[in-house]
Amino acid sequence: MFLESEFANFFKNYGFYIALALVILIAVIATFLLVRNYKKRKNGKNTLVGLLNDIIEALGGKENINSMEAKMSRLNVSLISDNIDIEKLKAIGIERVIKMSNKITLLVGNSASEIANEFNK
């Protein structure tokens, strides 16, 4: 009984400060996550171009690629010849490679449309 009343008195006296501390903690965490996400997005352009260059190199160069288009999280690429380096594609982060004669589908994730847009510039 004594412990319950002391516990209740503690929250009665310091409840505002505890709530304020929690709000400040949540604000600091949210700010940290937003800044980190902004930095990733800001640096994403350079890494996107680097990823595109690595993909082009693994597919045999720009002269080996007829067309590239994005379908959701996949890149559909039409090739002139099928001399591609599948191991290099997987090493640079391509999740899956589906090869069909001179057409290839690369599962790249959310950046597929950005990669295709950058290639088609």
Side-chain angles (χ1 to χ4, degrees), residues 95-110:
E95 296 173 25
R96 190 163 185 200
V97 178
I98 303 169
K99 186 176 171 185
M100 303 164 282
S101 67
N102 288 348
K103 292 187 180 183
I104 189 167
T105 300
L106 307 173
L107 184 60
V108 295
N110 295 334

Side-chain angles (χ1 to χ4, degrees), residues 31-117:
T31 304
F32 171 74
L33 292 175
L34 288 173
V35 167
R36 188 181 73 179
N37 196 16
Y38 174 75
K39 285 182 180 179
K40 276 185 183 178
R41 202 174 304 151
K42 185 177 176 184
N43 295 333
K45 185 73 170 169
N46 295 334
T47 58
L48 182 69
V49 172
L51 178 61
L52 175 62
N53 289 335
D54 289 343
I55 290 173
I56 290 172
E57 185 181 324
L59 293 176
K62 196 164 187 167
E63 59 278 350
N64 191 36
I65 300 173
N66 277 334
S67 67
M68 181 183 292
E69 65 176 351
K71 301 271 184 170
M72 296 181 57
S73 64
R74 296 181 292 275
L75 281 175
N76 294 328
V77 184
S78 175
L79 301 172
I80 294 172
S81 65
D82 63 347
N83 60 341
I84 60 171
D85 188 357
I86 293 177
E87 294 305 316
K88 183 171 183 175
L89 287 170
K90 289 185 179 182
I92 61 176
I94 304 300
E95 296 173 25
R96 190 163 185 200
V97 178
I98 303 169
K99 186 176 171 185
M100 303 164 282
S101 67
N102 288 348
K103 292 187 180 183
I104 189 167
T105 300
L106 307 173
L107 184 60
V108 295
N110 295 334
S111 61
S113 61
E114 295 168 350
I115 292 171
N117 290 339

